[in-house]
Amino acid sequence: MTQASSTPSRREQILQALALMLEEDSGKRITTAALARQVGVSEAALYRHFPSKARMFEGLIEFIETSLFERIRRIVDEAPTALEQCETIVQLVLAFAEKNPGLSRLMDGDVLTGETARLRTRMSQLFERLETQFKQILREAELREGLRARVPTSAAANLLSAFVEGRISQYVRSDFRHRPTAHWEDQWRLLGSGLLAPTPAVNV
């Protein structure tokens, strides 16, 4: 996890250990007993900080949400054009997954198989929120820049979101060999060039 403090609390240590186990034990089911050994505490100590393993996963999902959407808000405020906003957001999410392999397994959802449905729903909602952000950016492009998505806005936003999800899934399936940011510049040149076009003039 990339935002750990220099003196993490026990709660943070547990989440960091869980993220590390997700990275190092790819494909294995994480047990609280193994996690307790990783942290160097008893299982009872784990449950003093988190009432269940599901809550531990929720803590990691909250970290992902906060890390990404705080930066996305800054990108929307600072990047001058819709195309730059979309490019920077896609690159942000891919780079975040690449730097946090364990968390990328959560983002892909594979590690949540067999866990409570609430966790899978929450992870799905993160990507729905990302897609909604793309929709908003593309809609505002027409108002602010006179540019319109070349396909319906919903379809364009879904394409960007699906691209992100697909690259993360490739990363996880390859046991972190196929980096999400590989070929990024070439791929964005193709995606970006076909994303927006000038709004047609209205004849009056």
Side-chain angles (χ1 to χ4, degrees):
M1 295 167 62
T2 58
Q3 294 185 348
S5 63
S6 57
T7 54
S9 66
R10 178 65 75 190
R11 179 184 174 90
E12 290 170 332
Q13 289 175 348
I14 293 169
L15 294 180
Q16 289 170 8
L18 178 56
L20 183 62
M21 291 181 72
L22 289 172
E23 176 182 350
E24 295 181 343
D25 299 329
S26 180
K28 296 181 182 179
R29 184 175 174 84
I30 305 297
T31 66
T32 53
L35 178 59
R37 288 194 298 272
Q38 179 80 13
V39 180
V41 298
S42 66
E43 287 188 70
L46 290 183
Y47 290 123
R48 282 198 292 272
H49 297 280
F50 296 95
S52 66
K53 187 171 66 169
R55 291 294 178 87
M56 298 176 198
F57 279 129
E58 282 186 324
L60 290 181
I61 294 172
E62 287 172 4
F63 174 82
I64 296 169
E65 290 172 338
T66 300
S67 299
L68 291 179
F69 286 100
E70 283 184 354
R71 297 182 205 178
I72 286 172
R73 280 194 292 271
R74 291 201 297 270
I75 290 168
V76 171
D77 288 340
E78 296 171 5
T81 68
L83 195 61
E84 289 176 89
Q85 290 173 14
C86 289
E87 177 184 9
T88 309
I89 289 171
V90 171
Q91 189 173 22
L92 163 70
V93 182
L94 295 181
F96 178 87
E98 184 174 308
K99 292 177 182 177
N100 297 278
L103 299 186
S104 72
R105 290 189 65 202
L106 270 180
M107 297 170 76
D108 179 61
D110 81 315
V111 75
L112 298 177
T113 301
E115 300 293 342
T116 177
R118 182 181 74 251
L119 295 174
R120 295 192 298 276
T121 298
R122 184 162 181 182
M123 201 68 255
S124 295
Q125 288 171 341
L126 183 146
F127 285 101
E128 290 170 5
R129 185 178 172 188
L130 180 65
E131 187 170 326
T132 298
Q133 182 68 69
F134 286 134
K135 286 181 188 176
Q136 182 178 342
I137 291 170
L138 295 173
R139 286 171 180 154
E140 290 182 357
E142 186 168 358
L143 298 174
R144 297 181 178 181
E145 303 173 55
L147 297 174
R148 179 185 295 176
R150 293 179 185 269
V151 296
T153 301
S154 294
N158 178 258
L159 174 63
L160 294 174
S161 180
F163 175 79
V164 171
E165 291 189 63
R167 293 311 308 268
I168 293 172
S169 290
Q170 284 183 334
Y171 187 47
V172 173
R173 287 199 311 270
S174 69
D175 284 331
F176 315 129
R177 293 191 304 275
H178 297 161
R179 297 183 298 109
T181 60
H183 313 298
W184 162 246
E185 292 183 0
D186 291 333
Q187 290 174 337
W188 180 254
R189 191 176 301 117
L190 180 63
L191 279 174
S193 64
L195 189 61
L196 296 168
T199 303
V202 178
N203 295 322
V204 294

